[in-house]
Amino acid sequence: MTASALPVLMYHHVTEKPGLVTVHPRTFREQMAHLAGAGWKTAGCRDLEAFLAGAELPDKSVLLTFDDGYLDNYVYAHPVLLEFGLHAAIFLVTGWIGDGPARRHAGMGGDVPECPDHREAMAAIGAGRADRVMLRWSEVEAMRSAGSFEFHSHTHGHRRWDRDFADSAARRRALAEDLGRSRAALAARLASSAHLCWPYGYREAGYAEVAREAGFRFLYTVERGANTRDTPPEAIRRVVVKDRAGAWFASRLTLYGHERLARLYLALRGRR
Ligand SMILES: [Zn+2]
């Protein structure tokens, strides 16, 4: 059996502090246990590339993605992925990733760093204290070599260029410069990547061209839906994962693993 569609799931935080775009570590473990127990295989971004180019993917393939690159991904998600032999991708805001020794994760036992909710994380970044809530390159490297995560771009500065630049030519120049910096940072630290996820899911006419010129060929959105071989590489769909396991999680995988089911479901919900 081969897959007709690849669900791409979207996470942000995995932490014990409840809040926006957050899954509790206990829920995350239940979700991963479900994947492993029900025979799901976690694809990498390269598998998605091959699938969109016409290659076959095993049935029950799923791509797990995390946005931004929070410290909690290392503290809580990394040990669970290792436990179940699963794999995921993180889209890093490369300008928010710092240096310094790797901290402790939950799989090591003992005390782990405090991982705040989304609001507090944003406040820390705004106050110039990103290191308290974001990954360090040493942790990125530890996860990459352990095989739990691969890393791609979520831009360098995570901005809304449309709000910061009224003039569209200036906006595109600023975006091009940012994407160039992000791609260079990834290439210098890890390996060059052609995969980019738009901050806030925001994109407009002309953005894809700027991304293409910067070397990004696979662009991830926050539009819900299944990805089939016909999905344009510059409009990859993703599904938000809520802090729910059990039947809810299982049904998302089934829905977005079948193109027709997903389309029917979204039509019934009044969304295309
Ligand atoms: Zn983001």
Side-chain angles (χ1 to χ4, degrees):
M1 285 278 279
T2 60
S4 64
L6 177 67
V8 180
L9 306 189
M10 172 172 54
Y11 291 90
H12 284 77
H13 298 274
V14 177
T15 177
E16 292 172 346
K17 305 274 163 55
L20 290 168
V21 293
T22 298
V23 172
H24 193 281
R26 191 174 49 237
T27 314
F28 184 70
R29 196 174 178 284
E30 282 174 40
Q31 292 173 343
M32 296 304 106
H34 172 81
L35 289 183
W40 285 86
K41 288 162 278 300
T42 42
C45 292
R46 279 280 163 85
D47 298 315
L48 172 61
E49 276 184 35
F51 179 62
L52 296 180
E56 295 198 336
L57 263 187
D59 195 29
K60 286 191 160 185
S61 292
V62 60
L63 173 57
L64 310 176
T65 69
F66 287 68
D67 284 10
D68 303 332
Y70 296 104
L71 169 60
D72 61 52
N73 297 176
Y74 171 72
V75 171
Y76 293 109
H78 164 65
V80 173
L81 292 173
L82 286 183
E83 178 187 346
F84 291 103
L86 299 172
H87 179 79
I90 296 179
F91 295 109
L92 292 174
V93 180
T94 46
W96 292 351
I97 307 304
D99 288 304
R103 287 159 283 192
R104 295 185 70 78
H105 65 69
M108 295 169 158
D111 287 343
V112 295
E114 195 199 329
C115 295
D117 69 13
H118 187 64
R119 211 170 294 252
E120 206 179 317
M122 288 297 108
I125 293 161
R129 302 175 62 215
D131 184 58
R132 199 168 82 72
V133 296
M134 303 305 295
L135 291 168
R136 293 174 178 171
W137 287 109
S138 56
E139 291 152 355
V140 166
E141 180 52 36
M143 294 190 280
R144 190 204 58 79
S145 62
S148 56
F149 281 106
E150 62 183 71
F151 298 88
H152 302 283
S153 177
H154 194 31
T155 75
H156 196 70
H158 204 272
R159 293 172 69 176
R160 280 291 300 266
W161 289 271
D162 58 311
R163 291 181 183 157
D164 295 345
F165 298 91
D167 176 63
S168 70
R171 185 183 312 156
R172 287 177 60 156
R173 270 199 306 277
L175 177 62
E177 198 218 345
D178 177 282
L179 295 186
R181 288 177 77 182
S182 188
R183 208 170 129 81
L186 281 170
R189 298 281 190 163
L190 302 164
S192 66
S193 163
H195 297 256
L196 169 73
C197 168
W198 293 118
Y200 312 101
Y202 182 82
R203 62 202 169 109
E204 60 187 32
Y207 273 28
E209 194 190 337
V210 176
R212 216 177 296 138
E213 281 166 5
F216 293 106
R217 293 183 295 122
F218 301 89
L219 309 180
Y220 295 71
T221 72
V222 294
E223 274 148 48
R224 282 190 298 178
N227 295 290
T228 68
R229 283 199 184 78
D230 301 326
T231 299
E234 295 182 349
I236 295 161
R237 297 159 172 154
R238 297 192 298 161
V239 179
V240 173
V241 180
K242 295 183 185 168
D243 188 22
R244 297 172 71 179
W248 180 86
F249 186 70
S251 69
R252 293 311 99 169
L253 293 164
T254 304
L255 262 179
Y256 294 103
H258 296 86
E259 205 265 335
R260 283 204 202 112
L261 264 184
R263 220 166 352 137
L264 183 64
Y265 171 78
L266 292 173
L268 285 173
R269 293 202 40 162
R271 291 165 182 248
R272 197 171 52 82

